[in-house]
Amino acid sequence: MFFCLQIVLAFALLSVVSWAQFHPSEPAKYQRLPSLRDQARILDEWKDERVARIPQLLERYGVDAWLMSQREHAEDPIWWSIKNATDFAAHRRTVVLFLANPLPQQTNPVVWVDNTGKVWGELLDILEASDPQKIVLNVDHNIAFSGGLHVGEFEVLQAELGSKWKERFVNQPMIGIEYVATRVRSQLEYYRMLQETTWAMIAEAFSEAVIKPEITTTENHPRVSVVTPESFPGWQGTQDVIQEGDILHVDYGITAMGMNTDVQHMAYVLRAGETDAPQGLKDGIRKANRMQDIILSEMRAGRSGNAVLQGSLAQMKVEGLEGQIYCHPIGDYGHAPGAVMGSPAGFTNLPVNVPVLGDLPLLPETYYSIELYAYSFVPERNETLRFRLEENAYWVDEERGWEFVYGRQEMLHLVGKTPPSLLLQN
């Protein structure tokens, strides 16, 4: 009885708290972004603020320099996060050197765009003058954002700089991870606009304005699926003609202003005479919402992704919830660098412990996709379904941790009800 009471209280509390904390007060609207010229200015301001933190980042990890070398069409992943907004590629050979303690009057970073070999003499002069003892190269074996130095460029660096500097090359994967993952506060306003636009697009797609039962199909790129007990299409959607009574799912995001969203929502296609979804489907969404609450309560800066995952699974067991968690960082990339909680999205074969990426610490000032599914029995259909949700969260502060950027889905989109309702169901 006490256990049942715990569950009832948990869902009751969710009903009271979620409206104010998690749910937008109005339906999502498409947001107009600044002009491309203004976007470039804003992006460069963000880049300058992020780059200015690098000397402190190097000092925190006990290194003196960070050296990158790349060629056009073979850029290091880091390059896309340090370039100017109007740069579209690393021209010729682009070499970038950051120093923890630059010499007086020296730019930091020093950037060369070169196709003559002149860069190597100038780079050697700076190294001799500043004498860094540890020079980070992006050569990590396990993490893409810390292993982006191509083999050819690595061999050129060794040949051109010689054995003295080769012996000072080190691998410190957290430099690249933390640089790319860390957000600046002024990004949040625009990221919230992207998130609302993502919601608005899904709401329009999952409405009678678009979907005509027995005519409209799920066959398209953004992974739209008809949900069945067997369906878990992963990277693919399904190829179904949508019918009344179908449950729909989409995994979708947009890219703009150097940022990415990643959202999963579900919808129900009303049958003739219906005005609402069956209660069993509402209960499934609420279970997935409860899983979201548990994950956010377990997320703390400095804690490993695996620790968050295992703490969440333990609480789910206490509350009798079944499902799977596969959260990931998001930001400059849809799947950004940093700690994952559960097997990386799309590969759910490591549900309890993820080597390497799961052992990384959660970093403050980062964004996360809270991605999961809850199993729930739907008595009206006599079947158990996966209720798959995903929303993006941002770091608030040490006390509050992460909260949703725009909100979260707390009810099914209803196809056949005008306007598409996004209000919390009781």
Side-chain angles (χ1 to χ4, degrees):
M1 179 67 181
F2 178 69
F3 172 76
C4 294
L5 182 60
Q6 280 185 308
I7 303 301
V8 170
L9 288 174
F11 283 119
L13 180 62
L14 175 61
S15 298
V16 173
V17 172
S18 60
W19 177 260
Q21 185 173 353
F22 296 122
H23 198 82
S25 59
E26 298 180 357
K29 300 180 177 65
Y30 289 96
Q31 296 295 309
R32 182 179 294 276
L33 297 177
S35 68
L36 292 179
R37 188 186 303 277
D38 286 340
Q39 285 188 38
R41 175 184 54 78
I42 294 167
L43 288 170
D44 282 341
E45 289 174 356
W46 293 344
K47 180 264 301 178
D48 291 343
E49 185 175 347
R50 296 170 73 187
V51 165
R53 299 174 175 179
I54 289 179
Q56 291 74 33
L57 182 64
L58 300 182
E59 289 183 354
R60 182 156 64 252
Y61 288 102
V63 298
D64 307 297
W66 188 16
L67 178 61
M68 284 167 265
S69 182
Q70 60 253 298
R71 288 189 158 190
E72 189 173 353
H73 309 305
E75 290 85 0
D76 189 306
I78 303 296
W79 188 83
W80 300 101
S81 299
I82 61 174
K83 73 177 187 68
N84 294 323
T86 54
D87 290 340
F88 62 87
H91 298 287
R92 284 64 173 180
R93 170 178 280 119
T94 297
V95 178
V96 183
L97 175 68
F98 289 97
L99 294 168
N101 295 291
L103 298 171
Q105 309 304 316
Q106 185 178 68
T107 61
N108 197 22
V110 186
V111 180
W112 293 266
V113 178
D114 178 72
N115 64 353
T116 67
K118 181 181 177 181
V119 56
W120 306 122
E122 295 181 1
L123 175 56
L124 280 168
D125 288 343
I126 292 177
L127 293 178
E128 290 290 349
S130 55
D131 196 29
Q133 301 301 300
K134 293 182 179 180
I135 305 171
V136 172
L137 300 183
N138 295 332
V139 292
D140 193 77
H141 290 183
N142 298 306
I143 299 171
F145 295 94
S146 305
L149 181 64
H150 287 239
V151 171
E153 290 301 287
F154 181 50
E155 292 176 347
V156 170
L157 284 173
Q158 293 181 94
E160 294 291 345
L161 299 184
S163 59
K164 173 181 176 179
W165 300 107
K166 175 183 174 181
E167 292 173 359
R168 302 189 189 187
F169 294 161
V170 299
N171 174 36
Q172 174 43 272
M174 288 305 299
I175 299 290
I177 291 169
E178 186 165 342
Y179 172 74
V180 178
T182 303
R183 306 288 88 202
V184 298
R185 284 288 171 171
S186 53
Q187 288 180 291
L188 181 59
E189 172 190 355
Y190 295 95
Y191 194 57
R192 189 168 280 126
M193 293 169 68
L194 299 188
Q195 192 78 354
E196 182 172 1
T197 295
T198 304
W199 273 49
M201 194 173 297
I202 293 174
E204 181 180 1
F206 279 167
S207 75
E208 66 273 19
V210 173
I211 294 175
K212 310 300 179 187
E214 301 185 7
I215 298 175
T216 307
T217 73
T218 60
E219 186 178 358
N220 56 27
H221 179 66
R223 292 192 240 170
V224 177
S225 307
V226 172
V227 177
T228 68
E230 296 78 26
S231 69
F232 190 48
W235 298 111
Q236 304 297 324
T238 59
Q239 298 182 25
D240 296 297
V241 177
I242 296 172
Q243 308 290 335
E244 290 185 357
D246 278 349
I247 305 161
L248 306 179
H249 170 270
V250 67
D251 186 350
Y252 179 72
I254 61 176
T255 300
M257 296 188 72
M259 298 183 291
N260 297 267
T261 64
D262 195 357
V263 172
Q264 293 184 49
H265 279 193
M266 298 179 69
Y268 176 68
V269 183
L270 293 168
R271 300 179 187 274
E274 285 186 318
T275 59
D276 204 351
Q279 185 62 43
L281 299 183
K282 301 178 189 179
D283 292 342
I285 292 292
R286 293 173 79 84
K287 288 180 180 179
N289 287 157
R290 179 58 190 152
M291 285 178 61
Q292 292 171 330
D293 293 337
I294 291 170
I295 295 165
L296 289 175
S297 71
E298 292 285 336
M299 290 174 65
R300 292 186 291 277
R303 199 176 188 197
S304 75
N306 284 330
V308 173
L309 171 64
Q310 291 156 15
S312 299
L313 293 174
Q315 183 61 31
M316 285 169 55
K317 186 175 181 179
V318 168
E319 298 187 21
L321 297 170
E322 296 183 33
Q324 191 162 347
I325 295 166
Y326 35 99
C327 307
H328 60 85
I330 190 168
D332 292 14
Y333 294 81
H335 291 174
V340 300
M341 291 161 276
S343 190
F347 298 96
T348 55
N349 59 316
L350 300 170
V352 178
N353 185 83
V354 181
V356 182
L357 295 179
D359 292 329
L360 294 174
L362 273 69
L363 298 170
E365 303 290 350
T366 56
Y367 297 166
Y368 265 89
S369 276
I370 309 304
E371 185 176 16
L372 53 85
Y373 67 76
Y375 282 116
S376 189
F377 179 71
V378 182
E380 296 90 343
R381 303 170 71 97
N382 194 32
E383 58 190 15
T384 297
L385 300 175
R386 291 180 178 95
F387 287 80
R388 301 163 59 192
L389 298 182
E390 181 176 17
E391 298 292 356
N392 304 142
Y394 74 104
W395 165 263
V396 182
D397 54 36
E398 289 285 351
E399 181 179 353
R400 291 164 60 184
W402 282 264
E403 295 181 1
F404 291 117
V405 171
Y406 178 71
R408 68 176 179 189
Q409 184 181 23
E410 296 183 333
M411 70 160 283
L412 295 156
H413 298 273
L414 298 179
V415 180
K417 184 173 183 178
T418 305
S421 177
L422 290 176
L423 297 178
L424 179 66
Q425 298 186 27
N426 295 315

